[in-house]
Amino acid sequence: MRVWHQALLLGLVAVLSSFAATAQPSSQDRRLTQFHHTRWTIKEGAPGQVSALAQTEDGFLWLSAAASLYRFDGVRFERFEPPSGEPLPSIRTLHAARGGGLWMGFSFGGVAFLEQGRVTRYGGAEGAPDRTVSAFATDKEGQLWVAAVDGLFRLAGTRWEKVGASWGYPGAPSRFVFVDRDGVLWVATDKTLLYLPRGARTFVPTGISVNWTLQLTQAPDGRIWMSESGGVVRPIPVPGHGQTDASPSLRLESAGMLFARDGSFWVTSLGDGIRRIAHPERLPAGDATAVDGAVESFTEKDGLSGDYAWPVLEDREGNFWVGTSGGLDRFRVSPMVLAEFPRGSHDFALVAGKGGEVWAGTTNRQLMRLRDGKVSFEQLASPVRSAYRDQEGVVWLGADNGLWRLDDGRLGHVTPLLQDSVTQVQAMTRDRRGTLWVVPAANTVMQWKDGRWVSMKEVLGLSDDERIHTAMTDGRGRVWLGHVKGIITRVDGDEVRRFTEAEGLRLGRISALAAGGRYVWAGGQFGLAFLDGERFRPLVAGGDESFRNVTGIIERPDGSLWVHAVPGVFRIPAEEIRHAAGDPGHRVRYELFDFLDGLPARPTLMRPLPTAVAGDDGRLWFATSNGVVWIDPERIARNPLPPPVSILSLKADGQRFAPASDVTLPLHPANLEINYTALSLSIPERVRFRYRLEGVDEHWQDVGTRRTAYYGDLSPGRYRFQVVASNNDGVWNERGASLEFVVPPAVHQTWWFRALCVAAGLLLLWLLYLLRLRQVTAKMRGLLEERHAERERIARELHDTLLQSVQGLVLRLQAVAEQIPEQEPARQAMEKALDRADEVLAEGRDRVMELRSSAHDGRGLPDVLVQVGEELAEDMPMSFRLLVEGGPRELEAAVQGEIFLIAREALLNAFQHAGGTAVEVELHYDSDELRVRIRDDGAGVAPEILEKGGRPGHWGLAGMHERATRIGATLRVWSRTDAGTEVELKVPAAIVYRRRPRATRWSRLKAAVRLGRGR
C-alpha cells in the first residue's frame, strides 16, 4: 500500500514538473553566475571526496564520499550505518531504483541494495560481479544492468546473470552502461561501443574505437555524448545517434556529464571545476571553447567547493548538484537574477531606460548601460550619486561634476554644481512645469530653472539644520519631499503643505516616496505608510518581518506593491492593500524575497536612492551594496512539488529507535524526541512543518522550520505521530508521514496493579472498620457492664436500706397493733395498713429482683425464657414452646439481661394482648449472630400502631426498640390483623458472645453489616 502511494505521488510530481516546465521561464538563457550557488564543505558538515550522487524516489540525496555512504535532506548530512554493523565496502557508483531503493556498486566487486534501512548484499554466490562495478542502468522494461570490469551483468530474479555470446556480447570488460530515451541499451567496453535495441536479444556493434569511456549521456536532439579518458567530450559518430561528419567537442578530462531538462549541458572536470554550455545545439564543429561565450566556467576561485569534480545530477525540482573533492555544490534557479554588471561595482544609482535597458551610475566614475544582457560603459570622470527619469523619458544624472542629461541614448552635460550649495546630489525630481528640483546632500533645496540655480529654502520654510532625503513627483505633477526628521513636504504649484506626526507620520527618516494609482506611499526608518485622504496610515506586516528601513517602493499596474527594505524585497498583493485600507487593524500578508532568492546584499540607506526601479519590459530592478538584481513579477520561478515527508528517528531518554511501523519504547520515558524531515532541496531553509501527537495534541502545532518534536512524561498507551510539510513556495504535502509507537506501562501502571491497589485499599478500610467495630463493641460492653453493675448496686442499696427499714417499721407497727384490742376500729385500720405494707414490700422485692437479673444466677437464656413462658401459660389459656437451634453459648451478662427483658416484654404482650392459642420462641445460635424470634397466632397489631411505635401512653414497643438500640441489636416486628405477630431480635456475635465463634468471612461480613444497620 505504501509503494502504491509513493507511485501515485511520483506520478503527480511528474505532471507538476511538466506543467512547471511550460509555465516557468527557462533557465537555459541564464549565465552560470546567475544561478544561486550554495556549497557545503567540511565546515558545514559535508563529507569530502564525493564520488557518486543519486536521488531516490523518497527525495533523499545520497552521496558516496570518503569510502562511506551519506544521505542529505538539504539541511543535515547523515552517515548510513548498516543495521548488521558490517561496514559497506568502498562505493564506486550509485543508482536510484525504479519504485524506490538504492543500488550500490563497489570498487572491489559486489553490489548491494538498500531499501527502508535494510541492506541486501550480492556477491559471487549470487552471481554478482567480482571486480569493480562502474555503472548501473534500468531499461524500459525494468531490467537492471551492471557494467563491471569482469563483464556485463543483468539481474534475473534474485541472481545475477553474466551476459555473453548468446546475447552477442563479446565478454569484454564493460566500462559504462546507459539507456537512452528510446529504450536502447548502450554499453561501452574497453575498446568499443555496442547497443541493444529495445526488445532485442542481440547487441549491435558500432564498430567505432573508443578509449576508456567514463560516461554516456543523451542530448535533447537525440545525440549520444561520451566522455573518454584522455580529455575528450564529444558525440559518438554513429548514424542515427550521433553524426558521421565533424562534431563539436570539449577538450576536458570529465567523469560527469548532464543534459538538463532546459537543454543546457553540464560537464564536470577532474581538476578544473565545471563547465556549462547553455545551447549545445548551436555549437559548430570543432572545439567548443573556441566559440566566444559558448562555454562557461565555474571553479574554486568562483566559490566551487573543489576543482576536482566528478558526479553531476539534476534533482526532481530542477536543482543541479555537483560532487567535488572538497564537498557538495548546488546550483538552482532563483527568482531574482543577478545583473551582469562588473564585479566590484557598488553604490548603484539606478534608472530605467527605454526598451528594458537599465542605467547605473556608480561611485567608481562609470556610467553603465545594461541591455540584452550586455554592459556598455560611459566615462563621466566623476561619481554619480543620483539618477532620475522624468515623465518625458529623459534620464537625469547627478554627478559630482554636474548635472547630466541622457536623451535617446545621447549623453550631455547640463550644468556644473554650485560649489557653495550643491556639492553632491541626494535626490532629483521634475515638476509639472518642467522645473528640475535638485536635493543636495547639504541643507539647501535648489531648482534648475531657465538655465540658472534657484534656492527653495525660503519658499519651503526650511531651517538651517533641516535636510531633505528623497524626492518624488506624483501623477498630478506635485512634488513630494521626504525629510530626515520624518516630515514630508508637498508642493502643489504655489501651495506648500507639511505632513508631520500630527497627520500620522511616524516613520523616522523618510527614505522612499512613490505615487501609485490611488495612494501616495512613504517609507522610512520605522515602516511604511500611505496617504488616505488627509492623513498617513501605517501598513503593518503580518509575518515575522517588518517593513523597516524602506529604500524603494514600486506599485505595479495590478495594484500589488513591491517594497525594498533591509529584510529584503516584499511583495504585497493588491487584495491585502484593499483589506488594509478598509480595516486599520489589518496586518497584511506578504511574500519576502531575500538572500535565499538571490538578493546579494542589503540596500544602501543613505544614497543613492531610490534602490528600486521598474523597467519598461515589466522587470523590477533592485540595487544593493553588493550588486543589482532583477525579477520578472509575471514569470517568477515557483516550486509546485509538495515535499515528501520522512520520519528519521525516535529517541527516548537518549536511546535511538528506527522509525518502524510499530515501536515499543522503554518504561515511562521522560524525554521523547522525534526527528523528521521534508525533501525539498531547493530552499530547505523555508520548508515549514506542522505536527501533532494523537492523544496529546488537540490541534496541529505549527513549528516553522524546526525538524524535531519534543514530548515529555507520556502516559502508557498507543500513540500516533503525524507530520506534514510545505515547500519553499507554501505547497503543502497534507498526507505527510506518520509513526505509531507504544509506551508500555510499568508494573505500577498496569490495570491489575491498580486493581490490587484498590483491593488493598478496600481491605485496609475493612480492617479499619473492624478495628472501629471492635472499639465500639468494647465500649458498648463496658457501658452495659457498668449499667448492670449500677443496677445491682441500686438493688443492694434498696434491699439493705429501704426494704430493711420498711420491714423494721412494719414489725414495729405490728407490735403496736397487737397491743390494741381486736374489736377496736383502730386495730382493724392498723391491720389493713399492715397488709398494704406487706404488699408494698413484696412489690419492692420484685423490683429489686428485676434489677438483679437472673442472668447472674447461673442459668442460661433458654432456661429463664422457659420459666417466664411457663409461668405465663399457667395463668393464660395459651400454649408455650421454645425451640433452640445451634449449640447454646455463654453470653455477655449485660447483653443477656437486655435480651431477656426484651423477650419477656414480647411474651407478656403475646399472652396478655394477642388473644391467641399458642406462643412460640426460637433461639438461633449462629456463628455471626444470636437470633431470637417470638411469634403468636393472635389478633395481631394494627398497622398504624406499628408505624407509631406503640399505643399512646404505652411504652412496651418503644422500650423494646430502645433496649435493642443500646446493645447494637436489630429489632423488627411483623404483624397483620388476625394473622398473629412475630418479633425478631438479632444481636451480632461480636457483642453477645463471650467467646467469638469461628466464622467464615462471609458470615463476618454479614454480621458487620447487620451491626452497622443496628447502630
Side-chain angles (χ1 to χ4, degrees), residues 541-571:
D544 298 331
E545 292 288 354
S546 60
F547 307 131
R548 52 190 172 90
N549 288 308
V550 177
T551 58
I553 305 171
I554 300 173
E555 183 178 313
R556 298 196 68 243
D558 64 359
S560 62
L561 196 68
W562 291 74
V563 179
H564 193 195
V566 165
V569 175
F570 295 88
R571 174 188 172 271

Tab-separated table of all heavy atoms in Angstrom, residues 541-571:
chain	number	residue	atom	x	y	z
A	541	ALA	N	2.997	44.838	8.721
A	541	ALA	CA	3.277	43.489	8.219
A	541	ALA	C	2.708	42.449	9.173
A	541	ALA	O	2.775	42.599	10.398
A	541	ALA	CB	4.778	43.282	8.054
A	542	GLY	N	2.161	41.382	8.593
A	542	GLY	CA	1.565	40.328	9.413
A	542	GLY	C	2.417	39.098	9.544
A	542	GLY	O	1.943	38.051	9.969
A	543	GLY	N	3.693	39.153	9.186
A	543	GLY	CA	4.570	37.992	9.271
A	543	GLY	C	5.661	38.179	10.302
A	543	GLY	O	5.540	38.950	11.255
A	544	ASP	N	6.769	37.471	10.093
A	544	ASP	CA	7.884	37.516	11.043
A	544	ASP	C	8.742	38.769	10.881
A	544	ASP	O	9.468	39.138	11.795
A	544	ASP	CB	8.768	36.278	10.861
A	544	ASP	CG	8.018	34.980	11.138
A	544	ASP	OD1	7.076	35.023	11.957
A	544	ASP	OD2	8.367	33.943	10.541
A	545	GLU	N	8.680	39.392	9.707
A	545	GLU	CA	9.492	40.572	9.454
A	545	GLU	C	8.616	41.829	9.443
A	545	GLU	O	7.399	41.755	9.334
A	545	GLU	CB	10.226	40.445	8.120
A	545	GLU	CG	11.305	39.368	8.104
A	545	GLU	CD	12.532	39.753	8.916
A	545	GLU	OE1	12.596	40.907	9.411
A	545	GLU	OE2	13.421	38.902	9.070
A	546	SER	N	9.283	42.974	9.523
A	546	SER	CA	8.579	44.258	9.473
A	546	SER	C	9.157	45.093	8.340
A	546	SER	O	10.274	44.867	7.874
A	546	SER	CB	8.727	45.005	10.801
A	546	SER	OG	10.104	45.265	11.076
A	547	PHE	N	8.373	46.097	7.909
A	547	PHE	CA	8.818	46.977	6.836
A	547	PHE	C	9.722	48.056	7.441
A	547	PHE	O	9.314	49.205	7.620
A	547	PHE	CB	7.617	47.620	6.137
A	547	PHE	CG	6.588	46.641	5.660
A	547	PHE	CD1	5.243	46.820	5.948
A	547	PHE	CD2	6.953	45.532	4.925
A	547	PHE	CE1	4.283	45.921	5.499
A	547	PHE	CE2	6.014	44.620	4.481
A	547	PHE	CZ	4.670	44.811	4.772
A	548	ARG	N	10.951	47.705	7.704
A	548	ARG	CA	11.868	48.662	8.344
A	548	ARG	C	12.960	49.092	7.363
A	548	ARG	O	13.424	48.320	6.541
A	548	ARG	CB	12.505	48.050	9.598
A	548	ARG	CG	13.154	46.695	9.384
A	548	ARG	CD	13.543	46.050	10.702
A	548	ARG	NE	13.989	44.677	10.519
A	548	ARG	CZ	15.254	44.334	10.289
A	548	ARG	NH1	16.189	45.269	10.211
A	548	ARG	NH2	15.597	43.067	10.140
A	549	ASN	N	13.346	50.356	7.481
A	549	ASN	CA	14.377	50.945	6.627
A	549	ASN	C	14.050	50.735	5.148
A	549	ASN	O	14.783	50.090	4.397
A	549	ASN	CB	15.752	50.373	6.959
A	549	ASN	CG	16.279	50.874	8.288
A	549	ASN	OD1	16.318	52.078	8.542
A	549	ASN	ND2	16.660	49.953	9.159
A	550	VAL	N	12.901	51.259	4.747
A	550	VAL	CA	12.452	51.150	3.361
A	550	VAL	C	13.249	52.121	2.494
A	550	VAL	O	13.379	53.304	2.825
A	550	VAL	CB	10.942	51.462	3.261
A	550	VAL	CG1	10.487	51.422	1.817
A	550	VAL	CG2	10.156	50.462	4.103
A	551	THR	N	13.780	51.617	1.357
A	551	THR	CA	14.580	52.456	0.458
A	551	THR	C	14.030	52.492	-0.958
A	551	THR	O	14.572	53.210	-1.803
A	551	THR	CB	16.032	51.947	0.411
A	551	THR	OG1	16.039	50.580	-0.034
A	551	THR	CG2	16.685	52.040	1.782
A	552	GLY	N	12.988	51.706	-1.242
A	552	GLY	CA	12.415	51.722	-2.578
A	552	GLY	C	11.004	51.178	-2.563
A	552	GLY	O	10.722	50.194	-1.864
A	553	ILE	N	10.085	51.830	-3.310
A	553	ILE	CA	8.679	51.421	-3.374
A	553	ILE	C	8.236	51.456	-4.830
A	553	ILE	O	8.466	52.450	-5.534
A	553	ILE	CB	7.774	52.344	-2.530
A	553	ILE	CG1	8.260	52.410	-1.081
A	553	ILE	CG2	6.324	51.857	-2.589
A	553	ILE	CD1	7.545	53.465	-0.252
A	554	ILE	N	7.595	50.362	-5.268
A	554	ILE	CA	7.046	50.309	-6.625
A	554	ILE	C	5.628	49.758	-6.536
A	554	ILE	O	5.423	48.674	-5.979
A	554	ILE	CB	7.881	49.400	-7.548
A	554	ILE	CG1	9.327	49.897	-7.652
A	554	ILE	CG2	7.240	49.304	-8.930
A	554	ILE	CD1	10.248	48.958	-8.412
A	555	GLU	N	4.674	50.511	-7.072
A	555	GLU	CA	3.313	49.990	-7.193
A	555	GLU	C	3.094	49.601	-8.653
A	555	GLU	O	3.226	50.432	-9.554
A	555	GLU	CB	2.280	51.031	-6.764
A	555	GLU	CG	0.854	50.481	-6.817
A	555	GLU	CD	-0.188	51.469	-6.346
A	555	GLU	OE1	0.039	52.088	-5.276
A	555	GLU	OE2	-1.216	51.627	-7.048
A	556	ARG	N	2.745	48.336	-8.874
A	556	ARG	CA	2.573	47.837	-10.222
A	556	ARG	C	1.149	48.124	-10.730
A	556	ARG	O	0.243	48.411	-9.937
A	556	ARG	CB	2.853	46.327	-10.282
A	556	ARG	CG	4.279	45.982	-9.894
A	556	ARG	CD	4.648	44.579	-10.325
A	556	ARG	NE	4.728	44.471	-11.786
A	556	ARG	CZ	3.944	43.687	-12.513
A	556	ARG	NH1	3.002	42.956	-11.928
A	556	ARG	NH2	4.085	43.624	-13.822
A	557	PRO	N	0.924	47.999	-12.048
A	557	PRO	CA	-0.418	48.277	-12.595
A	557	PRO	C	-1.512	47.395	-12.012
A	557	PRO	O	-2.677	47.805	-11.966
A	557	PRO	CB	-0.228	48.009	-14.094
A	557	PRO	CG	1.215	48.278	-14.352
A	557	PRO	CD	1.926	47.817	-13.115
A	558	ASP	N	-1.159	46.171	-11.550
A	558	ASP	CA	-2.186	45.298	-10.970
A	558	ASP	C	-2.526	45.660	-9.527
A	558	ASP	O	-3.357	45.011	-8.894
A	558	ASP	CB	-1.748	43.835	-11.050
A	558	ASP	CG	-0.493	43.539	-10.229
A	558	ASP	OD1	0.053	44.476	-9.598
A	558	ASP	OD2	-0.038	42.381	-10.231
A	559	GLY	N	-1.901	46.700	-8.981
A	559	GLY	CA	-2.187	47.147	-7.620
A	559	GLY	C	-1.294	46.542	-6.561
A	559	GLY	O	-1.362	46.962	-5.395
A	560	SER	N	-0.475	45.570	-6.922
A	560	SER	CA	0.441	44.993	-5.946
A	560	SER	C	1.569	45.972	-5.647
A	560	SER	O	1.891	46.851	-6.463
A	560	SER	CB	1.013	43.674	-6.452
A	560	SER	OG	1.771	43.871	-7.630
A	561	LEU	N	2.156	45.808	-4.476
A	561	LEU	CA	3.191	46.726	-4.018
A	561	LEU	C	4.473	45.939	-3.777
A	561	LEU	O	4.461	44.873	-3.153
A	561	LEU	CB	2.733	47.409	-2.727
A	561	LEU	CG	3.495	48.669	-2.305
A	561	LEU	CD1	3.219	49.800	-3.284
A	561	LEU	CD2	3.104	49.074	-0.890
A	562	TRP	N	5.585	46.486	-4.285
A	562	TRP	CA	6.909	45.898	-4.060
A	562	TRP	C	7.710	46.890	-3.235
A	562	TRP	O	7.819	48.071	-3.611
A	562	TRP	CB	7.604	45.601	-5.377
A	562	TRP	CG	6.941	44.483	-6.141
A	562	TRP	CD1	5.771	44.541	-6.821
A	562	TRP	CD2	7.428	43.151	-6.275
A	562	TRP	NE1	5.481	43.312	-7.380
A	562	TRP	CE2	6.480	42.444	-7.066
A	562	TRP	CE3	8.550	42.474	-5.831
A	562	TRP	CZ2	6.639	41.096	-7.394
A	562	TRP	CZ3	8.722	41.134	-6.163
A	562	TRP	CH2	7.772	40.459	-6.933
A	563	VAL	N	8.230	46.422	-2.118
A	563	VAL	CA	8.915	47.288	-1.157
A	563	VAL	C	10.313	46.733	-0.915
A	563	VAL	O	10.472	45.566	-0.528
A	563	VAL	CB	8.131	47.366	0.174
A	563	VAL	CG1	8.867	48.257	1.162
A	563	VAL	CG2	6.724	47.872	-0.075
A	564	HIS	N	11.321	47.573	-1.150
A	564	HIS	CA	12.706	47.186	-0.882
A	564	HIS	C	13.097	47.748	0.480
A	564	HIS	O	13.017	48.965	0.716
A	564	HIS	CB	13.627	47.737	-1.968
A	564	HIS	CG	15.004	47.133	-1.947
A	564	HIS	ND1	16.071	47.681	-2.618
A	564	HIS	CD2	15.478	46.017	-1.334
A	564	HIS	CE1	17.143	46.932	-2.432
A	564	HIS	NE2	16.805	45.926	-1.645
A	565	ALA	N	13.488	46.857	1.380
A	565	ALA	CA	13.829	47.251	2.737
A	565	ALA	C	14.994	46.392	3.210
A	565	ALA	O	15.492	45.521	2.485
A	565	ALA	CB	12.622	47.098	3.665
A	566	VAL	N	15.423	46.638	4.427
A	566	VAL	CA	16.573	45.902	4.958
A	566	VAL	C	16.323	44.392	5.011
A	566	VAL	O	17.191	43.601	4.636
A	566	VAL	CB	16.956	46.458	6.342
A	566	VAL	CG1	17.881	45.491	7.079
A	566	VAL	CG2	17.643	47.807	6.181
A	567	PRO	N	15.139	43.896	5.448
A	567	PRO	CA	14.950	42.432	5.453
A	567	PRO	C	14.964	41.806	4.064
A	567	PRO	O	15.221	40.606	3.924
A	567	PRO	CB	13.579	42.260	6.118
A	567	PRO	CG	13.361	43.505	6.894
A	567	PRO	CD	14.015	44.585	6.084
A	568	GLY	N	14.656	42.574	3.005
A	568	GLY	CA	14.603	42.033	1.663
A	568	GLY	C	13.590	42.801	0.831
A	568	GLY	O	13.255	43.961	1.112
A	569	VAL	N	13.090	42.107	-0.190
A	569	VAL	CA	12.080	42.706	-1.070
A	569	VAL	C	10.735	42.082	-0.733
A	569	VAL	O	10.572	40.857	-0.814
A	569	VAL	CB	12.436	42.479	-2.549
A	569	VAL	CG1	11.320	42.997	-3.443
A	569	VAL	CG2	13.752	43.158	-2.888
A	570	PHE	N	9.769	42.909	-0.364
A	570	PHE	CA	8.436	42.450	-0.007
A	570	PHE	C	7.507	42.606	-1.207
A	570	PHE	O	7.497	43.658	-1.847
A	570	PHE	CB	7.873	43.266	1.164
A	570	PHE	CG	8.619	43.118	2.457
A	570	PHE	CD1	9.697	43.931	2.741
A	570	PHE	CD2	8.240	42.160	3.382
A	570	PHE	CE1	10.384	43.811	3.932
A	570	PHE	CE2	8.917	42.022	4.582
A	570	PHE	CZ	9.993	42.845	4.854
A	571	ARG	N	6.722	41.582	-1.456
A	571	ARG	CA	5.638	41.681	-2.433
A	571	ARG	C	4.322	41.599	-1.667
A	571	ARG	O	4.041	40.614	-0.999
A	571	ARG	CB	5.708	40.551	-3.457
A	571	ARG	CG	4.514	40.536	-4.409
A	571	ARG	CD	4.516	39.295	-5.283
A	571	ARG	NE	3.270	39.197	-6.043
A	571	ARG	CZ	2.167	38.587	-5.605
A	571	ARG	NH1	2.161	38.013	-4.405
A	571	ARG	NH2	1.073	38.551	-6.349
